[in-house]
């Protein structure tokens, strides 16, 4: 399985992804939960929930599915009923991760562009309700995946692995379900994120031009404007979070179009010499990479987050530094 260069790449990629993604998202949850980054509780709710769902994606999809599947192929997790349930969990958590990003984008749109609605909508209570609703709807929608799989092998009356049933490709009902599933994630999120970001950026640029003209008339053009700087940072954060999601999910979406338009089936197995398998697996690799990107975006765009991260690292390394001083 690992004999080809491509197989070796996949075998090494997922452990590295887990080694980076788990501590990075845990750090985000801990730092943001302490509430010292200068963010409102509403924003903190969304960012923490994004980090939690990303962490769960790494645990379920990367560690329990990919890593266990590559290194321990005949484990308990490979028994067909358990395997089917694991796919339900993976799709559920993955959808939550995407849609929490969407509702966060909408929250920032309301906060920046809709002043009258801002006081009622941009609250921690509303954030909790919205996140809970997204989780519940995603759970219901993805429950149907449990009935799509059948055993790949039966050994001593034990069914192993999961293979998509043939009826999934020929049944109009299942085809409709697949279209609804892919439209809801990632097609509709793509459209909503792009639309909301376009409206938000247009509003911010209009406000910046207006404030710039006021500064010119007031002869204070050389002075920095905290409001303008804050809005510029909002643009950067929104573009980085939503833009990375779209770019890293793009190949996954192209694979879906290939399946439905070219009448190719989702690949079952691990034949690294098959171009179709490489295309599908590469889409999964990039999609799962999106669960590790946000911590680095926060570190790059939020100064207070960097300060808290730096303080946390110093606190963890302090005992080691003291031990070296004691040994000397």
């Amino acid at each position: 399985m690992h004999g080809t260069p491509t197989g070796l790449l996949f075998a090494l990629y997922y452990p590295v992804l887990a080694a980076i993604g788990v501590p990075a998202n845990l750090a985000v949850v801990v730092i943001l939960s302490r509430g010292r980054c200068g963010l409102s509780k509403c924003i903190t709710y969304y960012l923490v929930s994004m980090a939690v769902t990303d962490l769960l994606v790494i645990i379920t999809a990367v560690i329990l599915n990919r890593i266990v599947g590559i290194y321990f192929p005949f484990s308990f997790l490979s028994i067909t009923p358990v395997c089917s349930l694991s796919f339900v969990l993976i799709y559920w958590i993955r959808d939550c991760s995407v849609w929490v990003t969407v509702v966060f984008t909408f929250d920032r749109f309301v906060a920046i562009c809709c002043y009258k609605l801002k006081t009622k909508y941009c609250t921690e209570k509303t954030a909790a309700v919205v996140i809970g609703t997204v989780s519940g709807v995603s759970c219901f929608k993805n429950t149907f995946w449990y009935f799509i799989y059948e055993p790949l092998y039966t050994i001593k009356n034990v069914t192993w692995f999961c293979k998509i049933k043939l009826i999934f490709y020929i049944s109009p009902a299942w085809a409709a379900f697949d279209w609804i599933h892919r439209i809801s994630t990632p097609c509709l999120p793509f459209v909503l994120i792009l639309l909301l970001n376009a409206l938000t950026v247009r509003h911010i640029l209009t406000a910046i031009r207006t404030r710039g003209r006021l500064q010119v008339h007031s002869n204070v053009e050389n002075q920095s404007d905290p409001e303008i700087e804050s809005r510029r940072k909002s643009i950067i954060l929104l573009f980085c979070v939503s833009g990375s999601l779209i770019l890293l999910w793009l190949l996954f979406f192209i694979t879906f179009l290939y399946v439905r338009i070219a009448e190719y089936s989702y690949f079952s197995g691990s034949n690294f010499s098959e171009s179709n398998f490489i295309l599908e697996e590469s889409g999964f690799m990039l999609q799962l990479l999106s669960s590790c990107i946000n911590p680095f975006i926060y570190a790059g765009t939020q100064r207070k987050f960097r300060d808290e991260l730096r303080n946390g690292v110093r606190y963890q390394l302090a005992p080691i530094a003291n031990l070296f001083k004691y040994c000397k």
Side-chain angles (χ1 to χ4, degrees):
M1 178 176 172
H2 311 308
T4 65
T6 306
L8 181 62
L9 172 64
F10 291 147
L12 295 176
Y13 175 80
Y14 292 113
V16 172
L17 191 66
I20 296 173
V22 170
N25 283 292
L26 278 174
V28 171
V29 173
V30 172
I31 291 173
L32 293 180
S33 298
R34 297 175 69 183
R36 297 179 181 178
C37 294
L39 301 172
S40 68
K41 290 186 177 180
C42 175
I43 297 177
T44 301
Y45 269 41
Y46 286 113
L47 297 184
V48 169
S49 64
M50 289 165 63
V52 169
T53 53
D54 285 343
L55 176 63
L56 291 176
V57 166
I58 294 172
I59 292 174
T60 56
V62 177
I63 297 176
L64 298 181
N65 183 269
R66 287 297 193 269
I67 295 178
V68 172
I70 291 173
Y71 292 98
F72 310 99
F74 284 92
S75 68
F76 170 75
L77 296 175
S78 297
I79 298 175
T80 301
V82 180
C83 176
S84 300
L85 181 60
S86 70
F87 276 116
V88 172
L89 292 175
I90 290 169
Y91 289 133
W92 169 33
I93 297 168
R94 187 196 66 185
D95 281 14
C96 286
S97 176
V98 173
W99 277 97
V100 168
T101 304
V102 175
V103 294
F104 167 69
T105 305
F106 180 74
D107 177 85
R108 292 300 84 205
F109 165 76
V110 172
I112 294 172
C113 305
C114 308
Y115 293 109
K116 293 183 179 180
L117 184 59
K118 176 182 177 180
T119 55
K120 294 182 179 180
Y121 183 83
C122 298
T123 64
E124 52 189 298
K125 181 179 179 180
T126 301
V129 171
V130 170
I131 294 168
T133 302
V134 165
S135 178
V137 173
S138 298
C139 179
F140 172 77
K141 187 194 74 164
N142 289 290
T143 301
F144 296 97
W145 282 102
Y146 185 84
F147 307 101
I148 290 173
Y149 297 99
E150 63 182 1
L152 186 61
Y153 305 111
T154 300
I155 303 174
K156 295 181 179 180
N157 295 323
V158 178
T159 56
W160 291 94
F161 305 109
C162 289
K163 178 181 70 173
I164 296 178
K165 297 176 182 177
L166 179 61
I167 194 174
F168 180 76
Y169 301 102
I170 61 178
S171 168
W174 282 121
F177 169 78
D178 197 23
W179 275 104
I180 292 171
H181 176 74
R182 305 299 175 175
I183 289 173
S184 64
T185 308
C187 299
L188 184 57
F190 282 9
V191 173
L192 290 176
I193 287 172
L194 290 173
L195 176 62
L196 291 171
N197 279 348
L199 293 174
T200 302
V201 169
R202 187 183 69 172
H203 180 88
I204 290 176
L205 293 178
T206 300
I208 288 175
R209 284 194 296 267
T210 301
R211 294 178 71 88
R213 286 195 295 268
L214 291 175
Q215 285 182 342
V216 170
H217 291 304
S218 302
N219 296 320
V220 292
E221 61 272 19
N222 293 327
Q223 297 181 9
S224 61
D225 190 333
E227 182 67 20
I228 290 179
E229 290 301 317
S230 175
R231 294 188 177 191
R232 283 175 179 166
K233 290 180 180 179
S234 297
I235 292 178
I236 294 172
L237 181 61
L238 277 174
F239 266 51
C240 290
V241 171
S242 55
S244 65
L245 176 72
I246 292 175
L247 289 175
L248 294 173
W249 273 74
L250 190 58
L251 184 58
F252 178 84
F253 177 62
I254 292 173
T255 303
F256 159 69
L257 293 180
Y258 183 36
V259 168
R260 285 301 171 184
I261 295 175
E263 296 183 352
Y264 144 77
S265 61
Y266 293 109
F267 202 88
S268 295
S270 302
N271 189 348
F272 295 101
S273 63
E274 284 280 349
S275 58
N276 289 342
F277 173 79
I278 294 175
L279 172 67
E280 184 177 336
E281 191 66 17
S282 298
F284 281 121
M285 289 172 68
L286 292 176
Q287 174 215 313
L288 294 173
L289 178 61
S290 66
S291 299
C292 298
I293 295 297
N294 284 350
F296 299 97
I297 292 175
Y298 303 150
T301 60
Q302 303 294 314
R303 182 184 58 80
K304 291 184 178 180
F305 181 87
R306 289 195 299 272
D307 293 340
E308 287 295 312
L309 180 61
R310 192 179 299 113
N311 292 335
V313 172
R314 288 174 179 171
Y315 178 79
Q316 295 297 326
L317 295 179
I320 300 177
N322 293 334
L323 179 62
F324 276 111
K325 289 180 181 179
Y326 178 79
C327 291
K328 290 181 180 179

